[in-house]
């Protein structure tokens, strides 16, 4: 780069910067900047033509003002004019201004491209470097279209200078990341590989970064790079530090190039050629040998560079997983780092050993470091290092050391950080099950787990222990005895009460022969915990009680007294009330044979993959568990985003039912005792209105929620998660993931609506080929018209674009349209489908009515098919103001003083469609004592009544 002479110094700029620094307040700074902007504007608009020096000075001042945080709306053309200057400093300032201030969508981009083309064609290396740096800094799609075919020619041309080759390689790498579809793969790809043999190590370093990225996309096109990379790596690791003096960093020869070459080799399997493979093995052995040598410098830069190469070499050894000697040596080297004083090295060593533990060649060697890892678990200050120690213990565990590792994990669990307790609980549960030779040890471990960290024991864990106990006859008696003893503690975690209630209800008879655990003692022990438990656990205990009546007829009267008590028969919770009523009735009218049939022992569960393991996979993510195929890292060391999706889809689809063949969230509800209200012949209107006869939806089941990802089809699943939130509001975020955020803003008038959809790119990378369309089911197409305006096909990183949807309601409807989005991110096609919150109530027009008019209209809509009524339990706190806001948000007018009961809510409105208008009256009656609502709607169309009732009832 040419040196800047003293004549190029800009005294006016230096004075301006000094004035800004000397400002005593923000107001003074703004005043000085406005004065300078006015001066610059007058100079640019003046009749007198400015020379290059003046333009450079004023453009530089504008750039400085922009960097201070002020908007600049002029001077762009003057900066573009500087590109045509033959002076380096003027051209440099012009390119700098363009790189920082010019938007990729600017009208000046064509002029800028012409200036860049002239500089690239000039063959002046300084000017070519400036142009290439500008292309890389802006990196827009327009520049990629203009120069993607030109830059490869510059890169492989024989007469291109080394500094230009470096810039060209890195510029092409930038364009490939922002617009991979525009970088052509042609004959230049074979020639760029030979840059690995270039004499200039700077060119080799830049080319290696480019080839690594391209090889991940098209590995077959760059296979020839393997031999060249090995040869270059061999020359580096066998050279003395003085041989590569310009690229030696604290006595380490070309560390950055070595790391890049090792990452390039991780894109491919081990070389098939024996000679090449032997040479690569020698390189890796040399790197491992150098790690054992005494350090040549005590400075941290030396150890950092040396260890960077070493860890990348170990990553390559693990990736190839074919040389037992190297794997064992790598493991021993990492073992030395486990006790290093540098925290980062200990962390990296533990992380790498987790991967080594999954190799058949090095697993035994990893196990030899178990005491060191356990010590790290106990003594490490950094929680992230302790978490890696837990991961490594989990990875190295097998039948020979399972009891020791599980015991250490349980011991650590008592003092573990809250952030990792749930993960440790899952891992202990998995290891205890996987390596249990004696299932009595497994039962003891899980009960101990619940005692130590009951709050972190998920439903899957205690479901699993129940499944195993039921499936294994040899452990049932021991399990019953153990949980009975555990329940005698003064304070028991609720999960232990659940396990105890279930197991004693099924197998309490196996320990009833002992007077210390007689039937009455068992019942009294369980019932002593009843009042301390939540509603689901109480429901499970009631099921255990009815099982006791079948197992132990002698306690029948005692249990019936409990079921007959007012606290059960008149319980505010409808589930507990119904169970008490049904179980009491069943115990009174059923014969012994019927009871034995209905309350028979649970059948064995079908053997399937453990749901605990599935949950741990979801929690840790693919690639983070040693027994999951590890995806290769990209050039930045991160796994590709799309891998997460694929790994999730490959999980077993049968996990939903692996524990309990039921839709209810409690194990006891799967028992044959769970009769519906209809079975008992009950005609009580309260239970009929609550629709308790029907099976609860799978949406209420924890197991289904946890494993919903595993049951998704291969096609794009429609996201409905936030759909219900928009029933009573028109604005908000409807969808969000790590890449994209979709926000909505809607407005409706009579039968017409307009929805503004905002797509926000949460990444720093462009979304390419962005398209969005709205689809509707066949029945909805005749009921609702949705017209979507086109959207910009490119969304810049961190930017937001808007799309307008025009909506027309033709007739009443129940379904909703789907918004389908497709775009490319990092070369991967992304598909997203979101259910749009266009509901029938959006076309309400509120109607004000007097009390007399309301009741007159109420009577007119008295036909049975015109009224829909629903009684339901409150899902949210019953707040009067919130209820009012939701009813108003639903679209109707809230009528005060109409209902004789001031606690009730009354509303009126008219649904407007293109074909007709439908009047609607609603009445909401809250019962705060029972935490229930009764919603009544009357409209002139029965389908409208039903749909509005379904929508509104879900909001409370």
């Amino acid at each position: 780069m040419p040196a800047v002479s003293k004549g190029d110094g800009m005294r006016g700029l230096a004075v301006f910067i000094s004035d800004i620094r000397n400002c005593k307040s923000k107001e003074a700074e703004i005043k000085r900047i406005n004065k300078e902007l006015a001066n610059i504007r007058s100079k640019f608009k003046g009749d007198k033509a400015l020379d290059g020096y003046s333009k450079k000075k004023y453009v530089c001042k504008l750039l400085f003002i922009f960097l201070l945080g002020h908007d600049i709306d002029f001077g762009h053309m003057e900066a573009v004019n500087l590109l045509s200057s033959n002076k380096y400093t003027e051209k440099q300032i012009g390119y700098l201004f363009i790189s920082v201030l010019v938007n990729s969508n600017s009208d000046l981009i064509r002029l800028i491209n012409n200036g860049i083309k002239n500089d690239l064609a000039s063959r002046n290396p300084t000017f070519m470097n400036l142009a290439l740096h500008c292309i890389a800094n802006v990196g827009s799609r327009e520049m990629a279209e203009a120069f993607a075919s030109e830059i490869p020619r510059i890169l492989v041309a024989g007469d291109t200078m080394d500094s230009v080759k470096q810039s060209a390689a890195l510029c092409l790498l930038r364009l490939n990341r922002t617009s991979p579809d525009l970088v052509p793969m042609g004959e230049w790809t074979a020639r760029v590989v030979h840059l690995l043999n270039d004499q200039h190590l700077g060119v080799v370093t830049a080319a290696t970064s480019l080839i690594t990225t391209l090889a991940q996309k098209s590995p077959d096109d760059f296979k020839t790079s393997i031999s060249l990379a090995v040869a270059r790596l061999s020359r580096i690791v066998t050279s003395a530090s003085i041989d590569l003096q310009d690229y030696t960093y604290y006595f380490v020869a070309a560390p950055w190039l070595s790391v890049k070459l090792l990452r390039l080799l991780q894109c491919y399997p081990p070389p098939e050629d024996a000679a090449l493979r032997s040479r690569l093995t020698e390189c890796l052995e040399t790197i491992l040998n150098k790690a054992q040598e005494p350090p040549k410098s005590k400075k941290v830069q030396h150890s950092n560079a040396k260890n960077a190469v070493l860890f990348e070499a170990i990553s390559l050894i693990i990736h190839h997983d074919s040389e037992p000697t190297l794997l064992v040596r790598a493991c021993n080297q990492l073992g030395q780092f486990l006790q290093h004083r540098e925290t980062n090295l200990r962390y990296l060593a533990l992380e790498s050993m987790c991967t080594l533990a999954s190799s058949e060649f090095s697993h035994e060697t990893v196990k030899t470091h178990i005491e060191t890892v356990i010590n790290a678990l106990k003594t490490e200050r950094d929680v992230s290092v302790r978490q890696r120690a837990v991961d490594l213990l989990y990875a190295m565990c097998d039948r020979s050391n399972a009891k020791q590792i599980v015991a250490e994990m349980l011991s650590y669990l008592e003092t573990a950080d809250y952030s990792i307790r749930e993960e440790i609980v899952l891992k202990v549960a998995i290891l205890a099950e996987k390596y249990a030779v004696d299932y009595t040890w497994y039962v003891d471990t899980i009960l101990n787990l619940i005692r130590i960290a009951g709050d972190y024991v998920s439903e899957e864990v205690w479901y699993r222990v129940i499944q195993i106990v039921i499936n294994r006859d040899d452990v049932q008696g021991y399990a019953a005895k153990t949980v009975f003893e555990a329940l005698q503690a003064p304070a028991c975690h609720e999960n232990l009460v659940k396990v105890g209630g279930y197991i004693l209800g099924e197998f309490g008879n196996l320990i009833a022969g002992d007077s210390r655990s007689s039937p009455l003692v068992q019942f009294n022990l369980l019932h002593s915990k009843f009042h301390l438990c939540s509603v689901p656990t109480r429901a499970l205990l009631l099921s255990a009680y009815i099982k006791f009546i079948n197992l132990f007829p002698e306690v029948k009267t005692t249990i019936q007294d409990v079921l007959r008590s007012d606290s059960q028969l008149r319980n505010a919770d409808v589930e507990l009330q119904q169970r008490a009523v049904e179980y009491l009735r069943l115990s009174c009218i059923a014969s012994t044979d019927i009871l034995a049939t209905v309350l028979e022992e649970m059948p064995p569960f079908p053997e399937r993959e453990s749901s605990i393991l599935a949950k741990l996979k979801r929690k840790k993510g693919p690639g983070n568990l040693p027994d999951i195929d590890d995806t290769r890292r990209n050039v930045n060391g991160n796994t590709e985003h799309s891998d997460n999706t694929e790994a999730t889809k490959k999980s077993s689809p049968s996990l939903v039912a692996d524990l309990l063949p039921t839709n209810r969230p409690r194990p006891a509800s799967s028992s044959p005792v769970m009769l519906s209200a209809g079975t008992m012949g009950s005609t009580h209107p309260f239970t009929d209105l609550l629709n308790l006869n029907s099976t609860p939806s799978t949406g209420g089941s924890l197991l289904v929620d946890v494993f919903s990802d595993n049951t998704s089809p291969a096609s794009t699943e429609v996201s409905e998660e936030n759909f219900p939130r928009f029933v009573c509001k028109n604005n908000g975020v409807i969808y969000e993931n790590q890449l994209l955020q979709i926000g909505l803003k809607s407005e409706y008038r009579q039968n017409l609506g307009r929805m503004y959809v905002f797509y926000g790119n949460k990444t720093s990378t462009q979304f390419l080929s962005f398209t969005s369309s709205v689809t509707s089911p066949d029945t909805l197409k005749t009921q609702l018209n949705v017209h979507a305006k086109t959207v910009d096909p490119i969304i810049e990183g961190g930017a937001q674009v808007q799309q307008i949807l025009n909506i027309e309601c033709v007739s009443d409807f129940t379904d909703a349209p789907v918004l389908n989005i497709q775009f490319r991110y990092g070369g991967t096609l992304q598909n997203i489908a979101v259910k749009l919150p266009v509901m029938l109530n959006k076309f309400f027009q509120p109607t004000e009515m007097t009390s007399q008019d309301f009741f007159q209209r109420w009577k007119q809509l008295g036909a049975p098919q015109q009224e829909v009524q629903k009684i339901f339990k409150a899902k949210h706190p019953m707040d009067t103001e919130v209820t009012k806001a939701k009813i108003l948000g639903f679209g109707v007018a809230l009528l005060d003083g109409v209902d004789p009961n001031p606690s009730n809510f009354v509303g009126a409105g008219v649904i407007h469609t293109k074909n007709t208008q439908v009047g609607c009256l609603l009445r909401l009656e809250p019962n705060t004592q029972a935490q229930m609502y009764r919603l009544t709607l009357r409209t002139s169309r029965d389908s409208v009544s039903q749909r509005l009732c379904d929508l509104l009832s879900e909001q409370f």
Side-chain angles (χ1 to χ4, degrees):
M1 185 178 290
V4 180
S5 66
K6 290 185 178 180
D8 288 328
M10 292 174 280
R11 184 173 180 278
L13 175 64
V15 170
F16 174 60
I17 293 174
S18 178
D19 290 347
I20 294 295
R21 287 177 175 172
N22 293 331
C23 288
K24 302 298 184 184
S25 64
K26 187 71 176 175
E27 291 75 16
E29 178 184 312
I30 293 173
K31 184 178 179 181
R32 178 68 182 90
I33 287 173
N34 288 337
K35 179 182 176 182
E36 191 65 36
L37 287 174
N39 176 55
I40 296 171
R41 199 185 300 270
S42 66
K43 295 291 184 182
F44 284 166
K45 289 185 177 180
D47 297 333
K48 187 179 178 182
L50 295 174
D51 59 10
Y53 170 79
S54 299
K55 281 184 186 177
K56 176 186 73 171
K57 179 177 67 175
Y58 293 134
V59 167
C60 213
K61 285 183 179 181
L62 290 176
L63 184 58
F64 179 71
I65 292 170
F66 175 79
L67 295 178
L68 288 175
H70 301 272
D71 292 333
I72 299 298
D73 56 2
F74 70 98
H76 299 74
M77 194 63 204
E78 283 70 19
V80 174
N81 291 337
L82 286 175
L83 300 186
S84 59
S85 172
N86 288 323
K87 285 191 174 181
Y88 168 76
T89 54
E90 294 174 9
K91 193 182 287 286
Q92 180 196 34
I93 295 299
Y95 274 121
L96 185 59
F97 186 94
I98 289 165
S99 299
V100 175
L101 271 89
V102 173
N103 188 284
S104 60
N105 298 322
S106 171
D107 296 333
L108 297 173
I109 209 75
R110 187 171 294 177
L111 290 173
I112 296 169
N113 286 350
N114 286 334
I116 292 174
K117 283 181 181 177
N118 292 334
D119 284 335
L120 290 179
S122 69
R123 312 308 294 173
N124 183 320
T126 305
F127 293 172
M128 291 177 76
N129 275 328
L130 286 175
L132 290 167
H133 293 169
C134 181
I135 296 170
N137 285 331
V138 177
S140 66
R141 191 169 181 82
E142 290 77 10
M143 284 193 171
E145 291 173 345
F147 302 111
S149 57
E150 174 67 20
I151 296 172
R153 286 199 292 269
I154 296 173
L155 177 61
V156 299
D159 58 345
T160 304
M161 291 188 66
D162 292 336
S163 62
V164 179
K165 283 183 181 179
Q166 282 180 264
S167 300
L170 296 176
C171 181
L172 197 58
L173 175 62
R174 162 73 168 160
L175 294 183
N176 183 71
R177 287 176 177 169
T178 56
S179 305
D181 54 318
L182 295 179
V183 177
M185 290 290 180
E187 58 181 27
W188 65 271
T189 54
R191 297 174 65 186
V192 78
V193 170
H194 289 284
L195 289 177
L196 295 176
N197 271 336
D198 199 276
Q199 295 298 315
H200 195 282
L201 286 189
V203 174
V204 181
T205 305
T208 305
S209 296
L210 174 63
I211 294 168
T212 302
T213 301
L214 295 175
Q216 289 172 339
K217 186 169 69 171
S218 306
D220 292 338
D221 292 340
F222 296 92
K223 241 180 178 178
T224 54
S225 64
I226 298 176
S227 58
L228 297 176
V230 172
R232 174 62 77 174
L233 182 66
S234 176
R235 292 201 294 274
I236 292 173
V237 299
T238 56
S239 64
S241 58
I242 56 173
D243 296 340
L244 304 172
Q245 195 164 4
D246 290 343
Y247 286 87
T248 297
Y249 180 78
Y250 286 87
F251 304 102
V252 182
W256 285 277
L257 177 55
S258 300
V259 167
K260 289 177 185 292
L261 290 170
L262 290 165
R263 285 191 180 176
L264 171 58
L265 292 171
Q266 289 176 59
C267 296
Y268 296 95
E272 297 176 0
D273 182 67
L276 187 62
R277 192 166 180 170
S278 173
R279 191 173 185 184
L280 177 58
T281 302
E282 287 177 10
C283 292
L284 296 172
E285 286 177 343
T286 303
I287 294 172
L288 292 174
N289 290 337
K290 285 186 176 181
Q292 301 291 337
E293 295 175 0
K296 296 180 180 179
S297 172
K298 293 183 178 180
K299 293 191 175 181
V300 68
Q301 292 92 334
H302 171 72
S303 59
N304 284 348
K306 188 176 175 182
N307 291 330
V309 178
L310 174 63
F311 274 101
E312 207 59 51
I314 291 174
S315 295
L316 180 60
I317 293 170
I318 295 171
H319 171 69
H320 285 171
D321 194 21
S322 59
E323 296 289 340
T325 307
L326 286 178
L327 286 164
V328 171
R329 286 197 61 187
C331 183
N332 291 332
Q333 181 63 53
L334 292 172
Q336 295 177 19
F337 285 137
L338 292 179
Q339 295 177 315
H340 200 279
R341 59 186 177 84
E342 178 63 42
T343 304
N344 289 334
L345 284 179
R346 297 197 300 273
Y347 179 93
L348 291 170
L350 289 167
E351 189 177 45
S352 298
M353 287 186 80
C354 281
T355 314
L356 275 173
S358 62
S359 171
E360 60 177 319
F361 301 119
S362 55
H363 181 77
E364 291 300 321
T365 309
V366 172
K367 284 167 55 180
T368 61
H369 301 282
I370 184 170
E371 296 299 334
T372 307
V373 179
I374 290 172
N375 184 58
L377 189 65
K378 295 176 179 178
T379 60
E380 276 291 348
R381 295 183 182 180
D382 193 313
V383 62
S384 61
V385 181
R386 293 198 297 273
Q387 187 163 4
R388 294 287 81 80
V390 171
D391 291 342
L392 180 53
L393 285 175
Y394 176 79
M396 69 168 63
C397 188
D398 58 20
R399 293 196 184 278
S400 65
N401 57 15
K403 289 190 176 182
Q404 180 187 4
I405 288 176
V406 168
E408 292 294 346
M409 283 189 172
L410 283 173
S411 173
Y412 172 64
L413 190 56
E414 297 191 36
T415 56
D417 300 81
Y418 293 111
S419 58
I420 63 174
R421 283 193 179 186
E422 184 182 3
E423 186 182 322
I424 296 175
V425 166
L426 290 173
K427 287 181 173 177
V428 169
I430 292 168
L431 295 178
E433 177 188 343
K434 188 175 181 181
Y435 298 115
V437 179
D438 178 5
Y439 273 91
T440 58
W441 171 73
Y442 169 74
V443 172
D444 289 338
T445 300
I446 299 300
L447 293 181
N448 204 11
L449 199 61
I450 295 173
R451 180 186 62 80
I452 295 171
D455 289 338
Y456 299 90
V457 175
S458 62
E459 302 252 288
E460 290 82 9
V461 174
W462 70 267
Y463 282 2
R464 189 66 176 170
V465 70
I466 287 171
Q467 179 192 14
I468 288 174
V469 169
I470 287 177
N471 287 12
R472 295 186 173 274
D473 297 339
D474 56 332
V475 80
Q476 290 167 358
Y478 181 81
K481 178 176 178 290
T482 306
V483 295
F484 175 78
E485 292 172 351
L487 285 171
Q488 291 178 350
C492 294
H493 194 274
E494 191 167 334
N495 282 334
L496 183 59
V497 178
K498 292 176 183 177
V499 175
Y502 201 107
I503 291 179
L504 291 179
E506 293 291 333
F507 311 113
N509 59 310
L510 300 178
I511 60 171
D514 190 333
S515 59
R516 294 170 295 180
S517 55
S518 64
L520 187 58
V521 172
Q522 290 185 42
F523 171 73
N524 288 334
L525 180 61
L526 284 178
H527 197 57
S528 67
K529 315 292 182 184
F530 187 90
H531 66 288
L532 300 171
C533 298
S534 63
V535 169
T537 307
R538 291 184 185 186
L540 187 149
L541 290 178
L542 289 178
S543 297
Y545 297 168
I546 191 67
K547 288 266 190 173
F548 272 20
I549 291 179
N550 177 49
L551 293 174
F552 314 119
E554 61 268 31
V555 298
K556 179 176 180 179
T557 306
T558 306
I559 294 175
Q560 284 179 335
D561 290 341
V562 170
L563 295 175
R564 197 177 284 117
S565 64
D566 285 349
S567 61
Q568 303 302 335
L569 293 183
R570 298 184 180 181
N571 198 298
D573 185 85
V574 66
E575 175 73 11
L576 295 181
Q577 184 189 77
Q578 186 187 1
R579 288 197 184 207
V581 169
E582 292 181 358
Y583 292 169
L584 179 60
R585 191 71 178 145
L586 178 65
S587 66
C588 293
I589 66 172
S591 64
T592 305
D593 292 339
I594 293 176
L595 273 178
T597 303
V598 173
L599 303 172
E600 65 181 347
E601 189 177 300
M602 282 292 296
F605 291 98
E607 290 293 343
R608 294 194 178 99
E609 180 187 354
S610 169
S611 59
I612 313 172
L613 181 60
K615 181 168 183 178
L616 183 61
K617 289 178 182 178
R618 293 181 70 252
K619 183 176 177 62
K620 294 290 286 180
N624 291 333
L625 283 176
D627 51 0
I628 302 174
D629 290 337
D630 188 21
T631 54
R632 290 319 309 156
R633 295 175 297 173
N634 63 21
V635 72
N636 293 322
N638 302 318
T639 54
E640 294 293 334
H641 165 71
S642 58
D643 294 347
N644 290 328
T645 310
E646 290 301 320
T648 305
K649 287 179 181 175
K650 290 175 186 174
S651 298
S652 170
S654 60
L655 291 176
V656 177
D658 81 325
L659 293 183
L660 305 174
T662 174
N663 290 327
R664 289 182 183 267
R666 293 174 296 278
S669 62
S670 64
S671 172
V673 305
M674 293 312 299
L675 305 177
S676 69
T679 308
M680 297 302 299
S682 171
T683 57
H684 198 292
F686 186 64
T687 52
D688 289 342
L689 286 169
L690 285 171
N691 195 26
L692 291 175
N693 314 8
S694 61
T695 305
S697 67
T698 55
S701 168
L702 176 67
L703 286 177
V704 175
D705 287 345
V706 170
F707 301 115
S708 57
D709 290 347
N710 298 328
T711 58
S712 60
S715 59
T716 305
E717 186 176 349
V718 178
S719 173
E720 299 182 19
E721 181 182 356
N722 294 326
F723 182 88
R725 301 179 187 175
F726 283 77
V727 172
C728 296
K729 68 175 185 176
N730 291 332
N731 305 332
V733 176
I734 185 68
Y735 178 86
E736 187 171 11
N737 62 12
Q738 54 267 61
L739 303 179
L740 177 70
Q741 183 187 71
I742 304 176
L744 299 181
K745 184 178 181 182
S746 311
E747 53 188 22
Y748 296 88
R749 182 170 298 172
Q750 296 187 349
N751 70 312
L752 300 177
R754 175 171 289 178
M755 181 179 288
Y756 299 87
V757 186
F758 301 91
Y759 304 100
N761 183 348
K762 296 171 62 177
T763 72
S764 58
T765 305
Q766 284 180 328
F767 290 167
L768 305 177
S769 307
F770 190 96
T771 60
S772 67
S773 60
V774 179
T775 57
S776 301
D778 293 337
T779 54
L780 187 61
K781 289 178 181 177
T782 59
Q783 301 165 339
L784 192 73
N785 293 328
V786 182
H787 174 69
K789 294 191 176 181
T790 56
V791 66
D792 193 332
I794 299 174
I795 304 181
E796 296 291 340
Q800 185 184 77
V801 297
Q802 173 186 299
Q803 184 181 29
I804 298 177
L805 308 180
N806 292 317
I807 305 163
E808 181 186 30
C809 179
V810 180
S811 62
D812 63 275
F813 60 95
T814 57
D815 216 330
V818 175
L819 179 66
N820 298 289
I821 300 124
Q822 191 177 79
F823 60 91
R824 286 195 173 274
Y825 169 75
T828 304
L829 187 65
Q830 306 287 333
N831 290 288
I832 296 170
V834 182
K835 195 172 184 180
L836 283 175
V838 182
M839 304 92 159
L840 188 58
N841 66 294
K842 298 298 182 185
F843 302 94
F844 255 130
Q845 290 296 306
T847 304
E848 295 291 339
M849 303 177 75
T850 64
S851 177
Q852 183 179 355
D853 292 336
F854 179 88
F855 285 107
Q856 183 180 354
R857 181 61 177 157
W858 185 267
K859 291 177 182 177
Q860 291 173 357
L861 298 172
Q865 68 273 17
Q866 293 177 325
E867 180 185 289
V868 172
Q869 188 178 88
K870 188 173 184 180
I871 298 176
F872 54 93
K873 189 169 182 63
K875 300 177 184 175
H876 308 286
M878 299 178 73
D879 186 279
T880 302
E881 294 304 316
V882 173
T883 304
K884 285 182 180 180
K886 287 184 177 181
I887 292 175
L888 290 171
F890 193 65
V892 299
L894 197 59
L895 307 180
D896 293 324
V898 171
D899 196 292
N901 186 344
S903 299
N904 295 342
F905 302 90
V906 175
V910 177
I911 296 283
H912 286 261
T913 71
K914 184 179 180 180
N915 297 339
T916 185
Q917 296 182 6
V918 182
C920 172
L921 304 176
L922 71 83
R923 186 184 189 196
L924 183 67
E925 300 166 82
N927 184 339
T928 53
Q929 185 175 1
Q931 291 290 297
M932 307 285 290
Y933 286 100
R934 179 164 67 183
L935 174 63
T936 308
L937 279 114
R938 290 188 180 184
T939 73
S940 53
R941 292 176 67 91
D942 55 343
S943 58
V944 173
S945 302
Q946 186 61 55
R947 180 56 178 160
L948 294 178
C949 182
D950 293 340
L951 287 170
L952 187 56
S953 61
E954 289 298 315
Q955 300 303 304
F956 302 100

